[in-house]
Amino acid sequence: FGDYFKKESIEYAWEFVTKELKLDKDKLAISIFGGNKNVPEYDKESEQYWLDLGISAEKITKVEDNWWGPAGQTGPCGPDTEIFYWTGKDKAPAKFDESNDRWVEIWNLVIMQYNKTKDGKYEPLAQQNIDTGMGLERTLAALNGFDDNYLTELFQPIIKEIAKISNTKYEDNKRTFRIITDHIRSAVFVLGDPKGVTPGNLGQCYVLRRLIRRSIRFAKQIGITKPFTVDLAKIVIKKYKKDYPELKEKEQTIVSELQKEEENFSKTLAKGLKIFEKLINTKKLDEKAAFTLSTTYGFPLEMILELAKEHDIELSKEKYEEHFKKHQELSRTASAGMFKGGLADDSAMTKKHHTTAHLLLQSLRNILGDHVEQKGSNINAERIRFDFAHDSKLTKEEITKVEDMINEQINKALDVTCVEMTVKEAKQAGAVGVFDQKYGEKVKVYTVGDFSKEICGGPHVKNTSELGSFKIAKESSSSAGVRRIKAILK
C-alpha cells in the first residue's frame, strides 16, 4: 500500500520468475489492460516496463478484460498485467496468442490505480497499491514441464489411488478424477482447520457437504462402490502434514466426519438416483418433481440440475424456488404459534429453560472446545432440547462436568443483563452467535455474570438463582456431526 507501484512490482515479478524459479524467458509472455468503454486508454506504462525488461512487443498482448474491481459500484479498481508460460514441449511461438490453451497464466499483478466515484469517474487513488498472486499448482507444473496441474506431485498420489480403486485410467476420465481429487483435498483442509466446520445444511457446513457429496457421486461414475473418502484423505494428510500439522492433529475428526457423510449420502444417492432415472424414463422430470426429490428424499438440488443437464434437460432454478417459497409459506402458517429462538411459549418455565440454554452452550464450549456451536433448539415449559456441533458421543464424565458447571453458575446467583449493540460490537465483545445469519442493524447481547455472552432475542430470567437444579436427561445423535441434549430443571 503506497510503498511501491507498477514499475517495481513488474520488476520484482520478473526477477522471481526468471532468476529464482529459473523459468525459460523464451517461454514467457505478458498480457496488459487493452482499454475498454469505461477506460479507453490501454496501459502504456506497464507495456513500457515490460519492454524495458527485454520482453519483445510480439510477446505482449492487450486484453480488454484485464481490469479488476471495484468490489461494488464504487471503490478501488485498476488494470492488471499477467505472466503466461508456454506449456508445450516445442519451442514457444514468437507471437503470444492468449487463445492458445498451451499458454497458461501463472502470475497476476493487480494494479489498484483508481477510485471509481459515485458519478462513474475514475480518479487516481491517494494510496495506490498492488495485489499480486501466483498459481501454486500451475507454477509447479511449469517448473516440471507439465501441461497439466494434476500431473504434479501434489495431486499424483491421490490420482494414482483413484485409478487403483476404480480400475480406470486418469487419461480416460480426467474431469472425474480432477473433481474427486480437488473436492476431497478441499474437504480435508476444511475439516482439519482448527476453526473448521462439519458437514451440514447451512452456510459453510453446506459448502463442505457439497464438496464431499459431489466427489462421491463422481466416484460412482467410474465404478467406485466401496467407501473411499478416508483412504484419499489419509493420502492428503500424509502429503501436507509437515506444512499443516493441524491435519495430523485432527485426523480422527477428519476420518470420522468423512465416514459418516459417505455412509449417509451413499444411501441417499442410491435411493435418489433410482427415482431420478424413473422420472427421466417416464419424462416426468420437471421443477416440481425436482423439488420433491430434494426436499422429501434429501437429493441435493445442485446434483439434480447437474444430472438433468447431462440428459439435455434444462430445469429452471426460478421455477424450483417458486415451489420452495410456497412450501415455506405453508410451513410458516403451520408454525405461526411458535416464539423466537425455538421457544414454544413465553411462560415463566420456558424463560428459565431458555436462560439455561445459554449456560449449556457455554459449558459445552468450555468442556468440549470452541468448535461447539448451537445447531438448533426446541424449548418449552417441560424441557430443553438443544442441538450442537460435536463429532462424538459425550462420555459420562463429560456429562457430569457439564451438569456441575451449570449448577455452579446457578448457585452463584449471576445477574442476566442485556445490551443492544451492532453485530461488529458484539463480535468484538466476544459474544457467541451464528455470524453468517442475517441480523438487523442492532442485536441484543445477553450476558450471564462473567460466564456467558450471546446474541439472542430473549426472553430470559433476571438472575440464575431463579433456575433451580439442572440435569441432562438424554444425550444422543441428531445428525452427522450434530449431538442432541435433552435437559430439565428440577
Side-chain angles (χ1 to χ4, degrees), residues 100-244:
N100 187 326
D101 60 13
R102 284 188 290 176
W103 283 111
V104 174
E105 178 202 335
I106 60 170
W107 197 300
N108 189 7
L109 292 162
V110 178
I111 302 159
M112 287 301 190
Q113 189 170 359
Y114 302 100
N115 178 55
K116 185 183 177 185
T117 63
K118 287 181 180 178
D119 53 6
K121 290 181 181 177
Y122 291 83
E123 299 175 345
L125 272 174
Q127 198 170 23
Q128 296 175 325
N129 61 86
I130 295 293
D131 180 1
T132 184
M134 179 184 73
L136 174 63
E137 282 91 0
R138 291 182 184 190
T139 306
L140 188 58
L143 286 168
N144 285 279
F146 300 139
D147 60 357
D148 180 350
N149 297 348
Y150 289 85
L151 296 178
T152 65
E153 63 189 84
L154 293 178
F155 290 119
Q156 272 301 293
I158 311 170
I159 296 282
K160 286 175 181 175
E161 182 65 17
I162 296 170
K164 178 183 168 185
I165 59 179
S166 67
N167 198 28
T168 59
K169 293 181 180 178
Y170 169 67
E171 292 73 19
D172 300 332
N173 303 278
K174 284 186 177 181
R175 179 170 178 263
T176 301
F177 271 65
R178 288 171 178 176
I179 288 170
I180 299 167
T181 301
D182 174 79
H183 287 17
I184 290 295
R185 187 178 72 158
S186 299
V188 168
F189 270 88
V190 174
L191 286 165
D193 190 277
K195 293 185 179 179
V197 296
T198 53
N201 292 325
L202 295 171
Q204 298 164 322
C205 301
Y206 185 57
V207 174
L208 173 59
R209 172 160 281 170
R210 281 180 62 188
L211 284 169
I212 300 168
R213 291 188 167 192
R214 194 162 186 257
S215 68
I216 295 168
R217 182 173 86 79
F218 275 88
K220 302 287 185 194
Q221 289 184 357
I222 53 172
I224 298 176
T225 55
K226 293 180 180 179
F228 71 97
T229 59
V230 170
D231 290 338
L232 298 189
K234 286 181 177 178
I235 293 171
V236 175
I237 293 167
K238 184 180 178 182
K239 188 71 186 171
Y240 288 95
K241 66 182 178 182
K242 184 180 176 183
D243 296 304
Y244 300 90

Side-chain angles (χ1 to χ4, degrees), residues 6-64:
K6 251 183 227 189
K7 182 177 186 294
E8 294 87 350
S9 62
I10 286 172
E11 289 173 350
Y12 295 157
W14 186 248
E15 180 183 358
F16 184 75
V17 167
T18 59
K19 292 183 180 177
E20 297 296 327
L21 299 184
K22 295 182 173 58
L23 288 176
D24 185 350
K25 291 180 182 179
D26 293 334
K27 287 194 168 190
L28 297 171
I30 307 298
S31 72
I32 60 171
F33 173 60
N36 58 33
K37 63 180 181 180
N38 296 318
V39 183
E41 191 173 347
Y42 81 91
D43 189 2
K44 289 180 183 177
E45 278 185 276
S46 291
E47 180 185 49
Q48 189 57 53
Y49 295 140
W50 287 118
L51 290 169
D52 291 345
L53 286 168
I55 307 292
S56 66
E58 291 78 19
K59 287 283 182 72
I60 302 174
T61 189
K62 301 178 183 71
V63 180
E64 186 180 325

